[in-house]
Amino acid sequence: MVKASWGTKRTCQNCAARFYDLNKSPIKCPKCGREHDREDFVKVRRGRAAATSAAAAAAAAAAAAKEAAAAKSKKLEDTALEDEAALEADDEALENADDLADEAEDIEVEVEDDKGEGDR
């Protein structure tokens, strides 16, 4: 049976022991001896404004993440286009090298043999 002289039942925030405050101020835990102010036991409630600002902050964070992802994909696209241009330039250089190889086969070179005529 609860008596009014015992005060309010509290839970120590230090050791989690449950006790009655005996209407004393400051409130002292009988188990660990820690002294609490009455404000320590007041529950903090979020108002509607806090919930709205939390939702707005979450939306802003999501938008920032979306922009970062878009920037990253744009950078990847630009890198892919640069790589494609580099590959096309390499292919063109290879084609030019193939043309040079074909021209080298077509060139006839006359070699004179100096050994055969008088030295034998």
Side-chain angles (χ1 to χ4, degrees), residues 49-120:
T52 306
S53 64
K66 189 175 182 179
E67 287 179 20
K72 186 175 182 180
S73 67
K74 173 116 173 98
K75 185 176 179 182
L76 288 175
E77 284 180 19
D78 291 345
T79 303
L81 291 175
E82 290 173 2
D83 290 345
E84 186 176 321
L87 288 175
E88 288 177 5
D90 288 345
D91 289 344
E92 188 174 317
L94 287 175
E95 288 176 7
N96 291 340
D98 288 342
D99 291 342
L100 291 176
D102 291 342
E103 290 176 7
E105 291 175 2
D106 294 340
I107 297 175
E108 294 181 19
V109 178
E110 293 182 22
V111 179
E112 294 181 14
D113 190 19
D114 294 335
K115 293 181 182 178
E117 292 183 13
D119 295 339
R120 287 192 182 191

Side-chain angles (χ1 to χ4, degrees), residues 4-57:
S5 63
W6 291 356
T8 306
K9 192 165 192 171
R10 309 283 184 175
T11 303
C12 179
Q13 295 178 351
N14 190 36
C15 65
R18 298 199 37 104
F19 62 95
Y20 287 96
D21 64 7
L22 304 175
N23 294 324
K24 293 183 180 178
S25 184
I27 301 166
K28 186 173 181 180
C29 175
K31 186 173 181 182
C32 68
R34 179 173 179 207
E35 291 186 1
H36 299 279
D37 293 328
R38 291 206 180 272
E39 291 86 29
D40 290 345
F41 297 104
V42 176
K43 290 184 180 179
V44 178
R45 294 184 182 175
R46 288 190 306 172
R48 291 182 186 201
T52 306
S53 64

